[in-house]
Structure formats: C-alpha cells, structure tokens
Amino acid sequence: MKSTAIANSNTAMIKYWGKYDEKLILPMNSNISMTVDSQNTTTTVEFSKELKEDAVLINGKEQDGKPRERVSRHLDLIRNIAKIDLKAKVMSENNFPTAVGLASSASGFAALTLAACSAAGLELDKKQLSIISRQGSGSSCRSIYGGYVEWMKSEKSEDSYAVQIADENHLDIRDIAVVISTRKRKIPTREGMRLSMSTSPLYNARLKVVDESLKKVREAIKNKDFTTIGKTAEADCLMMHAVAMTTDPALIYWEPKTLEVMEKVYQWRDEGLECYFTIDTGANMHIFCLPGSADEIVKRVKEIPGIMDVFVSKPGGEAKLINNHLF
Amino acid sequence: MKSTAIANSNTAMIKYWGKYDEKLILPMNSNISMTVDSQNTTTTVEFSKELKEDAVLINGKEQDGKPRERVSRHLDLIRNIAKIDLKAKVMSENNFPTAVGLASSASGFAALTLAACSAAGLELDKKQLSIISRQGSGSSCRSIYGGYVEWMKSEKSEDSYAVQIADENHLDIRDIAVVISTRKRKIPTREGMRLSMSTSPLYNARLKVVDESLKKVREAIKNKDFTTIGKTAEADCLMMHAVAMTTDPALIYWEPKTLEVMEKVYQWRDEGLECYFTIDTGANMHIFCLPGSADEIVKRVKEIPGIMDVFVSKPGGEAKLINNHLF
C-alpha cells in the first residue's frame, strides 16, 4: 500500500478567480493552464496499520497545524472512496526551493492525489483523479494532465474536472518564471477570491467576458497561434488583477519590481522580441515566449537588478506513478 | 478689452473617465475634486484689432501647432458668444514647473476662460463660465470654483457644469502632490478615455457604482468626514486604473516608484498615520491627509529615494480676475 507519484506545476493562461462552492472547490469560471516541466513535486504515500495518525513531511520537514490538516483532509476523501481506514505517511519533495514563492500546491496536490489513490488500491481514470485533486487544491486538477489543460467549471462536483486541450508535444512554448519576491501575501489567495466575489464591483464584468477569452485561447492552442495565446493571457491577467485591486481591502499583488519587468516586456515586444507576461497572486511573473526567443529574454531578465531567480520551462507531461519511493 | 485671471488647479477625488460627447466634452459620470491652492495659472487676454491672428505665449514660450490651435478654438467659442471678431494675445504663466508633469490644463483653461470672457465684455455667472471652460478642457470647469466641487454629468451642454459642494474654509485637507516621473504618456488622456470606453470590459461596471461613490464623498465632505473621503477617493482611483489597464492597448500609468509610494501609504496608514492616495493618468501621486499629519508625511515622502518634487496644497479658492496684467 505504498506508491510514489511525480506531478508538474502549471501556469495559468486564463485565471481561476473565485469559487462557486468553497468546500468542493468549484470555480466560477473555466480556466486554462500550461503544465510546466521544470517545477515538480514527488510524493510517496504509504497507508499502514502501524500508524496512529497521518504523518506529513514536506521537503524533509515534519508538518503540523494547517498544512498537515489539509493533507489529512485530502487523504480522508481518498480513504472514503477506497473504503479504508488506515493512516498514512506522506513524504513530499519539490525540485525547486519553496522559499522562492513559486506555487507548489498545484504540483503538490496532483502528486499527492495520484500517489494516495494508487496506494489505496483505487484504479481511477484521469477525469476521476482530477475531480479528487481539485478538492485538495483547485488548480492542482490541471496538473493531472500534461500540455495545455482546461479546468471546466460546473455547479456539480462530478462535472468540474480538467481536460487536455493539446499535449505537451503539440506546441512548444517557453514559460520563464521570474522570481521577484518571497514576501508573504497578507491575505491568503482563498480569502482574496472570496473577498473579490463579495466586494469588487468589477467581478461580474470579468465573468461575462472570460468565456470569450477561453474560446480564443483554446482555439489558438489548437491552431498553434502563439500571438493570440500570449495577448489573451496577458489581458486576462490584467483583468484578474483589476478585479483584485478593486476588492475591499484592495489586493495589490504587484511590487515595484513587478511593474519594472512588465515595462520591459512591453519594451521588448515593441522592439520585436515577442513575449507576454502573466502574474498570479504575488509579485512573481511568468513570461511566455517561443523557444527561439527564450535565451535572449532570460539574458535580459537576468540583467535587471534585483531579480532573485529565473526558471525556464517547456510544456510538461502528465502526473505519473514512478518506482523511486522517497522512503 | 484686456483682462487677467488667476485659477487654481484641482485634484480629482472621484475621477472623470470617458466622454458622452467628445466635442462638447460631456462626461460619462459626474466627478468631484478639491481645488488646490499651490498650483495655479495666471492668464492675460487682450482682444485687439491690431492682431491678424491669435498669439499664445505659455510660460514665456510662443506656442504653435496643436496647443495654439486648442486655445484659438476656445477663444472662438467665447468670440461667438460675445459676437466679436477680434484676434487676441494670450499670455499664460504657471507658478509650478510644467516639466514636472503635474496637470496644467485645469488651471490653464479656467484662467483663460475667465480672462477671455471678461476681456470680451461678457458678464457671466460661474455656472456659465464653467460650461464654457468645460469645452476647452473638461476638468477645468471644476477650477472655476474654490473648495470642493462636483462637475455634473448631463447629455445636454447647458446642464453639465460645476457646482460647489463646500467652500475652501469648510474642511481643511492637505493634498501632497508627489512628483515621480516626467515621462510623457504614450497615449494622450483623451485618446485613453475613448479607448477605455470602447474596449475595457470593465468600463460599464465602474459606471454602475460611481454614483454610490459620488454620494459617499459628497456627504462625507458635508459631514467633514475625512476618512470616508479618503477611502472612497482611493477606491475610485483604483477602479479608474483597473478600467485603464483592461483597455486595449493596456493603459498602465503607474511606474515602479508609484507602487513603492502606494505601499508606503498603506504602511503608514497601518501605523496609524492616516492618509490616502489618488493617481491621475500618469505616475505621479496625490496623498490626502489632515493638516496635522502633513509635515510628517512630507518628511517621509522626501526620504523615499528618487522622488523628484513635492507640492503641498490646502483647499484653494475660486478663479478670479486680478489687476496685475502679464503684459
């Protein structure tokens, strides 16, 4: 009853912002991401009658409090489906430093879901896995698949899952993750989404246009039309941040350096070096470009004073089981 | 047929963003500002049969092209009303360096309107003056009045004018103008408004809530409730910039330093030093505070590296005629 899985992180091109159902994690809008190959999580789960309670180690550190509880709750969901009552040992390792502030919950919960379901003896298809993973961390349901992935909104749990738009070999894009800050968010993302829905006068206006953006990006991925993907992703990012900053209290995720890099992206694009930015709920930025421009952009990004780290990713593969257990 | 007028600039608390009528300059939403006492324009206008064409000097510099044309068109409007056909000499001086990027068209067109109407022999009340001034530069209609001023929206030119909510002695607030950048806007404000109306999916959502913000600020001014004025002005500023940045192309007026000062304002407020920011279509910022906090805030602003200049204003008086002609 021991399994190990590896899952990649993903970068949203059309953002997930707001939940229809907080407990089931059903998104207000469908959203699209690219699974990325350079940031992943490996997780080993073992269910055992020897254990009196779940033990959770992340990057070598025993967890307690909320992080441990969140993993335990996710294991409960899986134990429930598998009809088992055993406690588990969970060990999880990210291949990137968590201190840099890049999201690890997407790859983390996708790997946990796959490893725990396998260790519990469940034979599930990807759709079922993504429904389970979603309930641990929304965006993790997209990391079950490789390549370009859409998480479908629905008011029913069984209809809100990820589907693959195109696999990782269909279109080669680079995602340059620019680490700008490791400052902690004052308001956690979950709480930020909730506040935006209840207080931003612009929230519903974004919802009304997001289907159009989804359609554009979906078709552009199929047509390998990088320009449309990039433009639409950048516009949706600004839309999400517009909603966030008109929330009460204002959620301003950018730092001065974020704006500096944004300005550079505009400038480089004006100069003919095609690239587009997207920003999640923090100061860090992702720059999308075609493979031929990646080296030049990375070089230029590294020349900006104060950039802490840069990670370049290709489209990554699906979450999968592996034989190298962590313990 | 020679008159001189002096008019103060004003700082918007609820922003004007978008025109119902481009030619008449009728705003999509009513808006509120505070007339400020530290930035003003003095303008002398003389109509004379000696002149073959209008001559326009601003800060000692003879104007041609668009700036001269814009003044001439405004004089035409006044000549039309006065039924005169004489060309004019216009000399205009700002008491602040125009190079710092602080708006001068509000004080400029208010002074021009008052001086030109007087020189043309027109005896007009403030309402009539503000209707004329509005057609030269929208926000200038607010500078006809002192203190706290609302510019009423209407679909009819004769109903869109400024009214005073309270005079400059009613409530003492400080407006600390923080000069961050003298970089030119890529897209002029007029064009930016037009693009926002036609392309920002959030434009109408802001319009729907602006009446509520206007009511709050109007009542808060009457009740001398600085906290509500400040909070509402700051939220409306973020709303206007949210609309701007979701325009196609994205209008991002902030520079890294703008965000740095915004963060400071949040931090100072958390520490109990009450102040609120607002930002127009540029990187510069205005910080509103009560008189007792102004010295401390100015000191702290000046400690931020890279701040170019700081101007502190009280609520200023109305536009008025003076006897000291500039020529």
Side-chain angles (χ1 to χ4, degrees):
Chain A
M1 298 193 79
K2 183 171 177 177
S3 288
T4 300
I6 184 165
N8 284 315
S9 185
N10 66 70
T11 303
M13 291 170 153
I14 300 293
K15 304 292 184 194
Y16 150 49
W17 193 247
K19 294 177 180 71
Y20 170 77
D21 185 303
E22 292 255 351
K23 199 172 162 294
L24 290 170
I25 312 191
L26 299 171
M28 288 296 290
N29 63 281
S30 299
N31 44 81
I32 292 176
S33 62
M34 179 174 110
T35 299
V36 295
D37 78 339
S38 83
Q39 293 139 51
N40 59 50
T41 304
T42 303
T43 301
T44 299
V45 177
E46 182 176 30
F47 290 102
S48 158
K49 53 186 176 184
E50 308 296 315
L51 295 163
K52 292 225 168 83
E53 52 175 24
D54 295 324
V56 179
L57 279 96
I58 300 178
N59 295 326
K61 197 169 164 258
E62 179 100 39
Q63 305 290 309
D64 53 15
K66 282 203 174 163
R68 186 176 154 281
E69 223 172 81
R70 200 170 162 201
V71 171
S72 259
R73 245 186 297 121
H74 198 59
L75 292 171
D76 286 344
L77 180 69
I78 292 163
R79 280 187 280 245
N80 226 5
I81 299 169
K83 298 186 174 55
I84 59 170
D85 200 22
L86 301 169
K87 299 297 175 186
K89 180 175 174 185
V90 175
M91 190 181 271
S92 191
E93 300 284 348
N94 297 317
N95 76 332
F96 56 99
T98 40
V100 300
L102 292 174
S104 57
S105 74
S107 53
F109 273 87
L112 174 66
T113 300
L114 183 55
C117 287
S118 166
L122 291 169
E123 285 188 26
L124 302 172
D125 62 18
K126 284 198 166 54
K127 172 178 155 181
Q128 291 167 307
L129 286 168
S130 85
I131 289 172
I132 294 170
S133 201
R134 189 202 76 218
Q135 295 172 69
S137 161
S139 60
S140 76
C141 78
R142 298 184 307 229
S143 279
I144 296 293
Y145 288 90
Y148 301 87
V149 183
E150 179 165 356
W151 170 16
M152 317 293 284
K153 73 164 180 182
S154 172
E155 295 175 10
K156 289 183 195 160
S157 181
E158 66 268 30
D159 292 333
S160 182
Y161 49 85
V163 295
Q164 190 179 59
I165 298 170
D167 73 20
E168 60 272 28
N169 302 310
H170 170 75
L171 168 64
D172 195 5
I173 284 181
R174 291 293 182 277
D175 168 3
I176 301 169
V178 183
V179 179
I180 284 167
S181 170
T182 58
R183 193 163 73 179
K184 272 249 169 185
R185 282 179 281 274
K186 277 188 199 162
I187 293 175
T189 301
R190 283 176 176 221
E191 173 75 358
M193 286 188 187
R194 209 175 52 71
L195 288 167
S196 273
M197 282 182 66
S198 56
T199 67
S200 169
L202 307 183
Y203 187 84
N204 287 316
R206 185 215 166 211
L207 272 196
K208 276 182 199 149
V209 293
V210 75
D211 284 338
E212 188 56 37
S213 306
L214 285 161
K215 188 169 170 248
K216 269 192 204 164
V217 170
R218 211 183 288 129
E219 287 177 6
I221 290 168
K222 286 177 186 159
N223 299 331
K224 305 185 184 187
D225 170 3
F226 172 65
T227 301
T228 301
I229 296 172
K231 273 189 184 170
T232 314
E234 192 176 282
D236 182 68
C237 154
L238 290 170
M239 197 94 74
M240 189 274 262
H241 286 274
V243 170
M245 76 174 57
T246 53
T247 295
D248 182 17
L251 304 170
I252 298 180
Y253 292 113
W254 305 344
E255 295 184 20
K257 191 63 66 179
T258 316
L259 213 47
E260 193 179 329
V261 183
M262 280 166 68
E263 285 175 3
K264 292 285 183 195
V265 168
Y266 286 126
Q267 186 194 314
W268 297 338
R269 207 154 72 206
D270 282 349
E271 292 165 18
L273 186 62
E274 191 175 13
C275 55
Y276 303 90
F277 63 78
T278 191
I279 307 162
D280 290 322
T281 55
N284 297 332
M285 179 177 282
H286 293 266
I287 301 175
F288 294 118
C289 67
L290 289 169
S293 311
D295 287 349
E296 177 63 21
I297 292 169
V298 168
K299 185 178 142 277
R300 293 188 187 190
V301 167
K302 286 184 172 169
E303 283 166 7
I304 301 171
I307 297 300
M308 299 173 68
D309 218 334
V310 178
F311 296 87
V312 184
S313 296
K314 298 181 203 179
E318 63 188 18
K320 54 180 189 278
L321 293 167
I322 57 173
N323 293 319
N324 315 45
H325 300 312
L326 292 176
F327 61 87
Chain B
M1 297 194 77
K2 181 172 179 177
S3 288
T4 300
I6 183 166
N8 284 315
S9 185
N10 67 69
T11 302
M13 291 170 154
I14 300 293
K15 305 292 185 196
Y16 150 49
W17 193 248
K19 295 178 180 68
Y20 170 78
D21 185 303
E22 293 255 350
K23 198 172 162 295
L24 290 169
I25 312 191
L26 298 171
M28 287 297 289
N29 63 281
S30 298
N31 44 82
I32 292 177
S33 62
M34 179 175 110
T35 299
V36 295
D37 77 340
S38 83
Q39 293 139 52
N40 59 50
T41 303
T42 303
T43 301
T44 299
V45 177
E46 184 176 29
F47 290 101
S48 157
K49 53 185 174 184
E50 309 295 315
L51 294 163
K52 292 226 169 84
E53 52 175 23
D54 295 325
V56 180
L57 279 95
I58 300 178
N59 296 324
K61 196 168 166 260
E62 179 101 38
Q63 304 291 309
D64 53 15
K66 283 205 174 162
R68 185 176 156 280
E69 224 173 80
R70 199 169 162 201
V71 170
S72 258
R73 245 186 296 120
H74 198 58
L75 292 171
D76 287 343
L77 180 70
I78 293 162
R79 281 187 279 246
N80 227 6
I81 298 168
K83 297 185 175 52
I84 59 171
D85 200 22
L86 301 171
K87 298 295 176 188
K89 179 175 175 187
V90 175
M91 189 181 272
S92 192
E93 299 284 349
N94 297 318
N95 75 332
F96 56 99
T98 40
V100 300
L102 292 173
S104 58
S105 74
S107 54
F109 273 87
L112 174 66
T113 300
L114 184 55
C117 286
S118 166
L122 292 169
E123 286 188 24
L124 302 171
D125 61 18
K126 285 199 166 53
K127 173 178 153 180
Q128 292 167 308
L129 286 168
S130 84
I131 289 171
I132 295 170
S133 202
R134 188 203 75 218
Q135 295 171 70
S137 161
S139 60
S140 76
C141 78
R142 298 184 307 228
S143 279
I144 296 293
Y145 288 90
Y148 301 88
V149 183
E150 180 165 356
W151 171 16
M152 317 294 284
K153 72 163 179 181
S154 172
E155 295 174 11
K156 291 182 194 160
S157 181
E158 65 267 32
D159 292 333
S160 183
Y161 48 84
V163 295
Q164 190 179 58
I165 299 170
D167 73 20
E168 60 272 28
N169 302 310
H170 170 74
L171 168 65
D172 195 4
I173 284 182
R174 292 292 182 278
D175 169 2
I176 302 168
V178 183
V179 179
I180 285 169
S181 171
T182 58
R183 193 163 73 179
K184 272 246 170 188
R185 281 179 282 274
K186 276 188 202 165
I187 295 176
T189 300
R190 282 175 178 222
E191 173 74 357
M193 286 187 186
R194 211 175 51 72
L195 287 168
S196 273
M197 281 182 66
S198 57
T199 67
S200 169
L202 306 183
Y203 186 84
N204 287 316
R206 186 216 166 210
L207 271 196
K208 276 183 199 151
V209 293
V210 75
D211 284 338
E212 187 56 37
S213 305
L214 286 160
K215 189 169 168 247
K216 270 192 203 165
V217 170
R218 211 183 286 130
E219 287 177 7
I221 290 168
K222 286 176 185 160
N223 299 331
K224 305 185 183 186
D225 171 3
F226 172 65
T227 300
T228 301
I229 296 172
K231 274 189 185 171
T232 314
E234 192 176 281
D236 183 67
C237 153
L238 290 171
M239 198 94 74
M240 188 273 261
H241 286 273
V243 170
M245 76 173 59
T246 54
T247 295
D248 183 16
L251 305 170
I252 298 180
Y253 293 113
W254 305 345
E255 294 185 20
K257 191 62 69 180
T258 316
L259 212 48
E260 193 179 328
V261 183
M262 280 167 69
E263 285 175 4
K264 293 285 184 196
V265 168
Y266 286 127
Q267 187 194 314
W268 298 337
R269 207 155 73 206
D270 282 348
E271 292 165 16
L273 186 64
E274 192 175 13
C275 56
Y276 303 90
F277 62 78
T278 191
I279 308 161
D280 289 322
T281 56
N284 297 333
M285 179 177 284
H286 293 266
I287 300 175
F288 294 119
C289 66
L290 289 170
S293 312
D295 288 348
E296 177 63 21
I297 292 168
V298 168
K299 186 178 140 279
R300 293 189 187 191
V301 167
K302 287 183 173 170
E303 282 166 6
I304 301 171
I307 297 301
M308 299 173 68
D309 219 335
V310 177
F311 296 86
V312 184
S313 296
K314 298 181 202 180
E318 63 189 18
K320 53 181 189 277
L321 292 167
I322 56 174
N323 293 320
N324 315 44
H325 299 314
L326 292 177
F327 61 90

